[in-house]
Amino acid sequence: MLEVKNLHASIEGNEILKGIDLKINSGEVHAIMGPNGSGKSTLAQVLAGREEYEVTDGEVMYNGNNLLELSPEDRAREGIFLAFQYPIEIPGVSNTNLLKTALNEIRKYKGEEELDTFDFLALLKEKIKLVDLDQSFLKRSVNEGFSGGEKKRNEIFQLAVLSPKLAILDETDSGLDIDALKVVANGVNKLKTKDNATLVVTHYQRLLNYIVPDFVHVLHDGKIVKSGGKELALELEDIGYDWIKNGSPEVVK
Amino acid sequence: MEKNITNFKEQFISYYRDFEDGLNGESTPELNCLRQKALETFNELPLPTTKDEEWRYTNISPLLKHNFSVASKESKLSKDQLSQYQFDKLRSHQLVFVNGNFSSEYSKLNNLPEGVIIGSLSNAIKNSPEIVEKHFGKYAGNEHQIFTALSTAYTKDGAFVYVPDGKVIEDSVHIIFITSKAKEKIITQPRNLFVAGKNSQLTIIEHFVSDNENIHFTNSVTEIFTDENATFDHIKLQEESKKSFHIARMEVDQERYSNFRSFSFSKGASIARNNFNSKFNDESSECTLNGLFLIENEQLFDAHTLIDHAKPHCNSHELYIGILDDQAKGVFNGKVLVRQDAQKTNAFQKNNNIILSDDALVNTKPQLEIFADDVKCSHGATIGQLDEEAKFYLKSRGIGEQNATAILLNAFATDVITPIKVDPVRKHIKNILSKRFKH
């Protein structure tokens, strides 16, 4: 589904990603872990098409297309969804309005009919239950005045409505208490099918107790320094990230 | 330059005799006297320059370069042409003025409660002179106001609405002022008078349009009287040719417990200057002055407002929103005057602007002058750009550039759009916001 080859990206002249290789197939859950400043969020943003980042080398193929040539909106229409680390507040724009416009633009892009209002509202009401948010959130302005946990749940709610092929969760767990974490993870797990994939970007192993990854990659200084199965996350939990800073990843068996 | 200014005044003074001769039933001794005095005032007053504090950021010399002919003949419109200015699904009484002249052919009224008058000022002068004389020229004085003096001198026609005590007009009154194609550059001077009796209620839409993109000049004066406990919703839509000049004044006189709500939308004219003033003559009244202007290229929009809290226990709310592109220029000068008597005043005023280009400019001056000591007042102004983070967020959900911009502009203007009570007008404004900007 997604194949990243030797991806280099920089912002304002500072190179953040220094040669990432990553391959994600349908039905898989990948976790990217790493200390602060390792480039985890940058990778997520670059995949979503954030224009501030300049891709200086490498390529990203997504379902056979060159992803880097697509605008952010076309990436979303092709099925990429980024759950933001810091969801943006947009006063004056209701959640419903955002989702209706988004869903209809995606459908139009695919050559499908617009969803009628009745079916659309039914869809919203069904999906909002997944993340345990009250229906009153539908009418509220996007993320405005939401608590940290509500914002993250709202991201997963949007994910559920738009049902992308590749969901990228950027630190969706940070700042959440354990109950909210379970709600978010449960939402993500219920949406998992053999046709879609999830890329979980996280600092902590904790989330991976609930969203169990097939592959774990450790990112350090813009490069993936180690990849493994779900047990790698547990090892990291035990020994922390100091070993990579000391330049001896061999410590990990 | 000096020559141009002389010509500008000269043309109206020398033409005046012809204008007077052309008056029919609109000629009464009282009005003629007012007209004459106004012409003298017009002659005496200097034309404003940027050295005048009130015109500091609005240079009207481009207007003064032109010779305008006082339109005298009505132009024909096709029905189709008119329909593009009407709102679908709006039940309304419709008054149409073509090049300043009332058109009985295109105007239509639904059933009206007894005693309500909706029509032209020229008919009102003939048929209800006592009402006209009681209110006309009482609120919009000519002192220091050269364009009002010009309007008063050339008073001939405009919209006239009178609602007697206790009557409610359910359908909106939609007044279309259309400047139609003409060989010359024409000036139209609608002179409107709206009188709302005690406990009455009405909604008026003043809608200014051009059927061409030519140079013309609209000099409009509206006087409004809201008697005790009257509720008056006023909407002004200015969508004239982008080469035109639009100078407008609205004076509102509010009695006890009256509620006046105004929304002004402006997207036309190369120079649009609005003076909107409201005065509380008695206690416990409420006034809302909202506005939205949407300008591009080298357009200039100017709003000068004054809310005069002369009496206690009154509330005023004012919010002007500007969206500017290219080299457009916005001017906001909002004054709230709280006189010594006006205890327990609540006055809130704000001007928020969004600039979509590097070269657009806003001069904003919210002013509070408070002479009472037990009041709650606030004012403020902001100038900013479209939130790029928010835009990326929308795009990352699959929403394209144009829709993302439209959504954010609608959100920015939501505090002035949402309170518009006339649904088709609210949709019209939202639609314009959605379609206009392609950044």
Side-chain angles (χ1 to χ4, degrees):
Chain A
M1 176 184 281
L2 184 81
E3 191 163 10
V4 180
K5 282 184 190 160
N6 190 34
L7 183 65
H8 289 250
S10 54
I11 186 163
E12 290 166 357
N14 296 324
E15 190 170 55
I16 312 285
L17 300 183
K18 301 173 180 173
I20 302 270
D21 292 287
L22 180 66
K23 193 173 176 194
I24 298 175
N25 296 310
S26 305
E28 294 176 350
V29 175
H30 288 244
I32 301 257
M33 300 187 70
N36 290 330
S38 57
K40 302 188 299 288
S41 281
T42 299
L43 176 62
Q45 302 265 352
V46 169
L47 292 178
R50 175 80 98 186
E51 278 129 0
E52 284 87 338
Y53 293 96
E54 192 192 350
V55 173
T56 51
D57 201 3
E59 65 170 23
V60 181
M61 296 304 287
Y62 172 74
N63 289 333
N65 296 315
N66 183 350
L67 185 74
L68 300 176
E69 283 179 354
L70 298 178
S71 64
E73 55 270 37
D74 278 349
R75 295 182 198 200
R77 293 161 183 169
E78 289 284 351
I80 288 184
F81 180 94
L82 172 66
F84 280 53
Q85 181 179 7
Y86 305 110
I88 311 292
E89 297 191 8
I90 315 182
V93 179
S94 72
N95 259 332
T96 303
N97 185 12
L98 175 138
L99 285 169
K100 190 170 188 188
T101 313
L103 196 63
N104 281 334
E105 284 213 31
I106 292 169
R107 291 176 74 95
K108 198 172 147 196
Y109 181 84
K110 292 180 181 165
E112 296 169 7
E113 295 261 315
E114 288 197 353
L115 216 53
D116 75 49
T117 308
F118 184 80
D119 290 343
F120 173 71
L121 288 175
L123 177 73
L124 291 195
K125 283 174 185 172
E126 178 201 328
K127 299 295 184 187
I128 201 161
K129 285 184 199 148
L130 265 183
V131 290
D132 204 18
L133 279 177
D134 189 81
Q135 284 191 14
S136 61
F137 278 81
L138 296 174
K139 285 187 181 164
R140 286 177 58 180
S141 289
V142 176
N143 294 320
E144 193 189 27
F146 290 21
S147 71
E150 285 164 351
K151 283 181 183 170
K152 297 295 176 81
R153 280 191 270 166
N154 197 34
E155 294 292 284
I156 304 306
F157 168 54
Q158 293 177 17
L159 167 74
V161 173
L162 301 178
S163 80
K165 291 185 192 128
L166 175 64
I168 303 166
L169 311 182
D170 187 5
E171 309 249 1
T172 299
D173 53 327
S174 52
L176 293 189
D177 63 35
I178 200 75
D179 293 332
L181 187 71
K182 281 182 188 166
V183 170
V184 164
N186 186 36
V188 173
N189 288 332
K190 279 193 178 154
L191 297 168
K192 202 176 137 182
T193 70
K194 64 177 177 21
D195 299 318
N196 61 25
T198 310
L199 178 62
V200 182
V201 173
T202 181
H203 184 83
Y204 306 104
Q205 185 273 337
R206 196 178 58 150
L207 176 66
L208 304 179
N209 292 333
Y210 303 98
I211 302 173
V212 181
D214 302 300
F215 300 94
V216 175
H217 312 277
V218 181
L219 195 64
H220 172 62
D221 194 23
K223 283 182 183 166
I224 290 175
V225 293
K226 188 151 185 83
S227 296
K230 63 185 174 202
E231 64 289 346
L232 179 56
L234 293 168
E235 287 177 37
L236 286 171
E237 183 77 354
D238 288 342
I239 62 169
Y241 290 114
D242 284 344
W243 57 272
I244 30 179
K245 287 178 190 156
N246 301 333
S248 48
E250 300 78 22
V251 176
V252 180
K253 287 163 278 206
Chain B
M1 179 71 187
E2 195 55 38
K3 190 168 167 284
N4 287 336
I5 288 177
T6 317
N7 283 345
F8 185 83
K9 281 176 84 166
E10 221 26 66
Q11 61 187 326
F12 294 111
I13 290 161
S14 62
Y15 186 77
Y16 191 71
R17 186 60 44 90
D18 288 347
F19 167 77
E20 257 189 330
D21 291 345
L23 292 173
N24 276 322
E26 305 92 354
S27 177
T28 71
E30 287 80 0
L31 274 177
N32 286 347
C33 179
L34 280 175
R35 286 187 182 106
Q36 278 295 345
K37 275 190 188 155
L39 189 70
E40 282 163 28
T41 307
F42 174 72
N43 196 16
E44 284 159 14
L45 285 172
L47 281 156
T49 70
T50 50
K51 287 181 187 141
D52 298 304
E53 187 56 32
E54 286 291 290
W55 294 84
R56 198 165 149 198
Y57 301 108
T58 300
N59 179 1
I60 56 164
S61 59
L63 162 69
L64 307 181
K65 277 193 291 207
H66 300 286
N67 279 307
F68 293 100
S69 81
V70 180
S72 52
K73 284 190 190 132
E74 187 178 312
S75 306
K76 279 279 167 192
L77 294 178
S78 65
K79 283 271 185 224
D80 289 353
Q81 206 182 333
L82 199 57
S83 68
Q84 58 182 305
Y85 310 118
Q86 293 162 329
F87 298 109
D88 294 343
K89 294 177 188 161
L90 177 68
R91 272 186 57 91
S92 67
H93 308 283
Q94 178 177 292
L95 296 179
V96 178
F97 293 80
V98 182
N99 294 342
N101 302 298
F102 177 65
S103 160
S104 53
E105 186 185 347
Y106 303 123
S107 299
K108 64 171 181 61
L109 303 180
N110 306 329
N111 286 335
L112 286 172
E114 207 187 324
V116 170
I117 305 168
I118 299 177
S120 70
L121 183 70
S122 70
N123 281 331
I125 293 168
K126 291 170 210 161
N127 304 327
S128 326
E130 68 294 346
I131 304 172
V132 175
E133 275 158 25
K134 190 174 169 194
H135 297 283
F136 182 86
K138 297 289 187 294
Y139 316 115
N142 301 325
E143 307 76 40
H144 310 297
Q145 297 281 351
I146 190 167
F147 291 105
T148 304
L150 179 62
S151 158
T152 309
Y154 274 88
T155 297
K156 185 161 186 281
D157 217 343
F160 177 82
V161 177
Y162 171 74
V163 189
D165 293 353
K167 300 293 181 190
V168 174
I169 310 183
E170 300 210 348
D171 298 339
S172 303
V173 182
H174 187 195
I175 309 164
I176 303 173
F177 300 98
I178 174 165
T179 303
S180 187
K181 220 179 218 130
K183 280 193 189 116
E184 318 86 19
K185 299 169 193 167
I186 59 174
I187 176 174
T188 58
Q189 304 203 68
R191 179 76 189 213
N192 307 312
L193 178 60
F194 307 136
V195 177
K198 289 175 183 149
N199 302 307
S200 68
Q201 190 171 334
L202 75 161
T203 301
I204 285 184
I205 304 164
E206 285 186 50
H207 195 175
F208 294 86
V209 294
S210 320
D211 71 353
N212 56 76
E213 278 299 311
N214 299 341
I215 294 169
H216 64 84
F217 176 24
T218 301
N219 179 34
S220 138
V221 174
T222 296
E223 292 181 281
I224 294 174
F225 176 74
T226 59
D227 209 338
E228 202 175 316
N229 210 32
T231 299
F232 195 126
D233 276 286
H234 181 268
I235 293 170
K236 174 178 172 178
L237 307 171
Q238 192 272 103
E239 304 179 83
E240 292 187 335
S241 152
K242 288 191 179 135
K243 286 190 189 147
S244 73
F245 301 93
H246 185 95
I247 291 188
R249 183 168 174 204
M250 177 175 76
E251 289 287 336
V252 189
D253 194 82
Q254 292 194 245
E255 295 302 313
R256 196 183 185 85
Y257 291 117
S258 63
N259 188 353
F260 177 76
R261 290 183 289 247
S262 147
F263 169 73
S264 164
F265 174 70
S266 187
K267 79 176 180 84
S270 62
I271 296 176
R273 160 76 175 222
N274 296 280
N275 279 61
F276 292 159
N277 306 324
S278 186
K279 184 176 182 190
F280 295 119
N281 273 322
D282 208 334
E283 300 185 7
S284 308
S285 292
E286 189 145 352
C287 174
T288 306
L289 288 187
N290 284 346
L292 173 64
F293 59 97
L294 200 62
I295 49 176
E296 62 184 359
N297 297 322
E298 290 179 353
Q299 284 181 289
L300 183 151
F301 172 86
D302 176 345
H304 269 63
T305 67
L306 168 65
I307 298 177
D308 184 350
H309 283 263
K311 296 288 174 179
H313 292 288
C314 291
N315 299 320
S316 68
H317 319 266
E318 181 171 17
L319 175 60
Y320 262 77
I321 294 214
I323 298 171
L324 301 93
D325 203 355
D326 306 320
Q327 297 89 43
K329 214 175 131 187
V331 181
F332 177 78
N333 190 308
K335 190 161 152 184
V336 175
L337 174 60
V338 183
R339 294 183 194 261
Q340 204 167 354
D341 274 356
Q343 301 296 2
K344 305 287 180 190
T345 287
N346 282 315
F348 302 99
Q349 186 196 57
K350 211 163 186 196
N351 169 227
N352 294 338
N353 303 285
I354 242 175
I355 284 181
L356 299 167
S357 67
D358 294 335
D359 301 321
L361 182 77
V362 178
N363 288 296
T364 177
K365 190 174 166 193
Q367 277 175 282
L368 277 175
E369 280 184 27
I370 304 173
F371 299 98
D373 54 14
D374 184 12
V375 300
K376 220 190 275 174
C377 299
S378 72
H379 67 166
T382 63
I383 300 172
Q385 284 160 330
L386 216 54
D387 184 349
E388 287 300 322
E389 293 274 322
K391 203 167 170 185
F392 177 69
Y393 189 76
L394 294 173
K395 286 183 174 183
S396 77
R397 275 32 180 166
I399 298 172
E401 175 75 34
Q402 192 166 338
N403 264 340
T405 305
I407 284 174
L408 293 177
L409 289 178
N410 265 300
F412 181 67
T414 191
D415 290 344
V416 290
I417 294 176
T418 312
I420 302 172
K421 290 201 170 161
V422 183
D423 285 352
V425 172
R426 196 173 55 245
K427 280 183 191 138
H428 177 66
I429 306 286
K430 284 187 158 194
N431 214 9
I432 289 170
L433 274 180
S434 303
K435 281 185 181 155
R436 168 115 171 231
F437 290 93
K438 296 181 207 82
H439 274 256

